[in-house]
Amino acid sequence: APAELPGAYRQILQLVRDRTGHDFLAYKASTMRRRIDRRLHIHQIDSPEQYLRLLEERSHEVDLLFSELLIGVTTFFRDPAAFEALGEALREMLEHLDDAPEFRAWVPACATGEEAYSIAILLREIIDRSGRSLNFQVFGTDIDANAINKARIARYPTGIVDELGEDRLHRNFASDESGYRVLKHVRDSVIFAQQNILKDPPFVRLHLLCCRNLLIYMKQELQRQIIPLFHYALRPGGLLMLGPSEGVAGMEELFEPVNKRWKLFRRRDVATPYRRLPFGATLKTPERPATEPAEKSPQESAYLQSIERALLNKLVAPTVVVDMKGDIVFVHGRIGDFLEPPAGRPSSNVIEMARPGLGAELAAVLRQALHQSEPVVRRGIQLKTEEEEGSSVVLTGHRIESPETLRGLIALTFRYTPSAELPAPPKEKVEEGGEWEKAETEREQELQERLRYTKESLHAAIEELETSNEELKAANEELQSANEELQSVNEELETSREEAQSLNEELQSVNVELQDKVDELAKANDDMQNLLDNTDVAAIFLDRNLRIKRFTEKATKLVRMIPSDIGRPLSDLSMKIAHDLIGDAQHVLRTRESLEREVLDTDGELYLMRMRPYRTGQGAVEGVAISLLDIRAGGAEFVWREVAVPLAVALVEAAPGPMVALDPQWRILAANKSFAPWVEAAPPYDGTPLRELGPGTWKLEALMEPPEGESAEAGFRVATSAVNTGLGEGEIHVREVQVLPGKRYTIRLLAFEISGT
């Protein structure tokens, strides 16, 4: 596990590995930490220890974290200039490609498939332009099963128009209700599968391998394992395309650059230094041995330590152990001849403490030892000290691999080599030239030695520059990784914003519809209230529990109600109706049949009560509707029109003698045939005032309104008697009148009231 990743984060990644089988411990610690911190922020958790407990309690959260660690940022034809460079290289490859049964391409970490389909579209375009008949197959793999399923469905949103352009879109996609879907001839050329390139066997004999923006999330050690795997998967001359911030991890002997700007490489025809290893096993933390050695007593431990120190001082040269930054961790032996405290602020950095002439060599050895497991040896380093004048130093750097707690530290050993041990110049040359030639030889040897030091210093500077470039490259990869994550977050935020905007538009539409419904309901309510008020009928509407829902103003005269009584049971209110309204309402609810009967109020007034089930638009009974009609007021006109008039007409037509029926204004309602000779006008007489039909000698005015005090001698004799007609109380008036000279007639007038008329 990476040392810079804290223990809780490492345990979280181990928990993900145990559940999903995918190990992220070899990925860059900063990236993994940022992705985990994002989940902490979502759950509002302060420490990774709390989040670890949450993961142990909720297995579903482990799956969500796994999806979070997979940064699936991809688009169609991402970096169009990169695909133009790839297209040029593919055209050149196809021109020199022998007839092959199939062109094979592999896109690891394909996410939701955009890049794999982009490769397929590009290959189809190049093959069609070349006029060749060549089949090709693109393999898209990813460790995310959900992403692979989306890639197989091949349905993408409408925003891909900007990525593809109109021409490519119409040739390779079909629109549907949710966006665009890849056409079948493109889908058939791409095969998607779930795969982990760290554990599963790779595809082989490939012409093209496109793995962009995957290596930037991995540490250098893991990159140095994957690059040989890519070399193994490609056939000779095959193309490897990486992301703009990726490289071949110092393995230039395996690939030659085709386009340095867009990291396009061609496979060199050399042996692959790749052996299939269980990558997961190399990344696991070593297990502790089953048995631990027994602890020794303090006296025995001190004795053994003294022996170790004596042997080390006798057999081991002065040594310092430093970390990868050069800070001293441990010192053995006398190192004062090689290191001294610097002036000014104290420092424990071995390079800053080096004596003059030793700093550059120390820096070079330290850098080289960090990147290789074999010891690094530098001989002949000239260093003059008071104790060893004229001697040279041998500097050895060795990277410690075990035990686990010391892994990554560097042991630097210093050893003197007397100048007598240096190779002397050839003897014959010295003898031939005498003293002068001897001086020249020594001068030449000194110059060669200086040249050697200069070359080594230059080499060290170059290595330092390369190291700086590697560090800058790593920093660039880190920034690229952060940029990928930010882009992923930005796309998620953009998607959330679009969803929120869509939801807001839907809410606005629903709000407008609801407002229209409210307006319609208010209008219908006003119409209903005005209709009920204008009918001048006492109406009460009850729900299924016989609670008041609505009533008209006239109903308040029979049931004492005010607007605040809406919702109260009818039984709680005082009523003037001398009838069991509650029982009738319950009967209507139970039988769902209408009920009609005459009822009296406490003042003796007669009302016609109608009860009907209150039905909704769907036919469900939700209550009772009660109406009370005042028969003596509102029903008089009905009785007059439907009862009195038809009865009068029937009596007149059936009478044997002259007979006429009049309304209260003395207008003719009906007259029989025997009545016609008594008047001057011809029938019909309906609606004609009686006074307009009388003869001149007929004292009709006296008949209609007899003058007061007039006696029988004057032609009138009046007799009155009460009668009950069955329709109402009335009177019979018998009058004798002299219509013509010498002739008297008896006229009977029947006057009665019918329902107040």
PDB file of all heavy atoms in Angstrom, residues 182 223 242 384 438 545 554 642:
ATOM      1  N   VAL A 182     -26.947   4.405 -31.838  1.00  0.00           N
ATOM      2  CA  VAL A 182     -25.984   3.998 -32.855  1.00  0.00           C
ATOM      3  C   VAL A 182     -26.644   2.988 -33.786  1.00  0.00           C
ATOM      4  O   VAL A 182     -27.342   2.067 -33.342  1.00  0.00           O
ATOM      5  CB  VAL A 182     -24.733   3.388 -32.185  1.00  0.00           C
ATOM      6  CG1 VAL A 182     -23.713   2.997 -33.240  1.00  0.00           C
ATOM      7  CG2 VAL A 182     -24.126   4.373 -31.198  1.00  0.00           C
ATOM      8  N   GLN A 223       2.183   1.623 -13.898  1.00  0.00           N
ATOM      9  CA  GLN A 223       2.333   1.974 -15.308  1.00  0.00           C
ATOM     10  C   GLN A 223       3.435   1.141 -15.968  1.00  0.00           C
ATOM     11  O   GLN A 223       3.298   0.723 -17.121  1.00  0.00           O
ATOM     12  CB  GLN A 223       2.637   3.463 -15.449  1.00  0.00           C
ATOM     13  CG  GLN A 223       1.493   4.382 -15.057  1.00  0.00           C
ATOM     14  CD  GLN A 223       1.804   5.832 -15.324  1.00  0.00           C
ATOM     15  OE1 GLN A 223       2.577   6.158 -16.205  1.00  0.00           O
ATOM     16  NE2 GLN A 223       1.195   6.723 -14.533  1.00  0.00           N
ATOM     17  N   LEU A 242      -2.219   6.917 -26.351  1.00  0.00           N
ATOM     18  CA  LEU A 242      -2.430   7.234 -24.955  1.00  0.00           C
ATOM     19  C   LEU A 242      -3.017   8.631 -24.831  1.00  0.00           C
ATOM     20  O   LEU A 242      -3.170   9.347 -25.831  1.00  0.00           O
ATOM     21  CB  LEU A 242      -1.109   7.133 -24.184  1.00  0.00           C
ATOM     22  CG  LEU A 242      -0.399   5.774 -24.225  1.00  0.00           C
ATOM     23  CD1 LEU A 242       0.913   5.845 -23.486  1.00  0.00           C
ATOM     24  CD2 LEU A 242      -1.276   4.677 -23.649  1.00  0.00           C
ATOM     25  N   LYS A 384      39.610  15.482  -0.477  1.00  0.00           N
ATOM     26  CA  LYS A 384      40.766  15.677   0.394  1.00  0.00           C
ATOM     27  C   LYS A 384      40.290  16.007   1.793  1.00  0.00           C
ATOM     28  O   LYS A 384      39.531  16.931   1.988  1.00  0.00           O
ATOM     29  CB  LYS A 384      41.659  16.805  -0.122  1.00  0.00           C
ATOM     30  CG  LYS A 384      42.436  16.445  -1.370  1.00  0.00           C
ATOM     31  CD  LYS A 384      43.404  17.556  -1.727  1.00  0.00           C
ATOM     32  CE  LYS A 384      44.226  17.171  -2.947  1.00  0.00           C
ATOM     33  NZ  LYS A 384      45.217  18.223  -3.289  1.00  0.00           N
ATOM     34  N   LYS A 438      56.933  12.281 -18.502  1.00  0.00           N
ATOM     35  CA  LYS A 438      56.234  11.900 -17.289  1.00  0.00           C
ATOM     36  C   LYS A 438      55.310  13.007 -16.832  1.00  0.00           C
ATOM     37  O   LYS A 438      54.147  12.764 -16.450  1.00  0.00           O
ATOM     38  CB  LYS A 438      57.258  11.575 -16.199  1.00  0.00           C
ATOM     39  CG  LYS A 438      56.628  11.161 -14.881  1.00  0.00           C
ATOM     40  CD  LYS A 438      57.698  10.856 -13.863  1.00  0.00           C
ATOM     41  CE  LYS A 438      57.072  10.460 -12.538  1.00  0.00           C
ATOM     42  NZ  LYS A 438      58.095  10.154 -11.514  1.00  0.00           N
ATOM     43  N   ASN A 545     -71.395  11.536   5.897  1.00  0.00           N
ATOM     44  CA  ASN A 545     -71.574  11.546   7.348  1.00  0.00           C
ATOM     45  C   ASN A 545     -72.635  12.554   7.787  1.00  0.00           C
ATOM     46  O   ASN A 545     -72.701  12.904   8.972  1.00  0.00           O
ATOM     47  CB  ASN A 545     -70.247  11.847   8.034  1.00  0.00           C
ATOM     48  CG  ASN A 545     -69.210  10.765   7.774  1.00  0.00           C
ATOM     49  OD1 ASN A 545     -69.525   9.585   7.785  1.00  0.00           O
ATOM     50  ND2 ASN A 545     -67.980  11.182   7.511  1.00  0.00           N
ATOM     51  N   LYS A 554     -82.010  30.758   1.556  1.00  0.00           N
ATOM     52  CA  LYS A 554     -83.375  30.514   1.994  1.00  0.00           C
ATOM     53  C   LYS A 554     -83.460  29.353   2.975  1.00  0.00           C
ATOM     54  O   LYS A 554     -84.388  29.282   3.791  1.00  0.00           O
ATOM     55  CB  LYS A 554     -84.265  30.237   0.782  1.00  0.00           C
ATOM     56  CG  LYS A 554     -85.741  30.246   1.123  1.00  0.00           C
ATOM     57  CD  LYS A 554     -86.587  30.504  -0.092  1.00  0.00           C
ATOM     58  CE  LYS A 554     -88.049  30.659   0.316  1.00  0.00           C
ATOM     59  NZ  LYS A 554     -88.893  31.116  -0.779  1.00  0.00           N
ATOM     60  N   GLU A 642    -101.560  23.881 -13.470  1.00  0.00           N
ATOM     61  CA  GLU A 642    -101.686  22.452 -13.723  1.00  0.00           C
ATOM     62  C   GLU A 642    -102.995  21.838 -13.204  1.00  0.00           C
ATOM     63  O   GLU A 642    -103.350  20.742 -13.606  1.00  0.00           O
ATOM     64  CB  GLU A 642    -100.489  21.724 -13.077  1.00  0.00           C
ATOM     65  CG  GLU A 642     -99.129  22.164 -13.581  1.00  0.00           C
ATOM     66  CD  GLU A 642     -98.942  21.844 -15.055  1.00  0.00           C
ATOM     67  OE1 GLU A 642     -99.573  20.879 -15.527  1.00  0.00           O
ATOM     68  OE2 GLU A 642     -98.155  22.546 -15.737  1.00  0.00           O
TER      69      GLU A 642
END
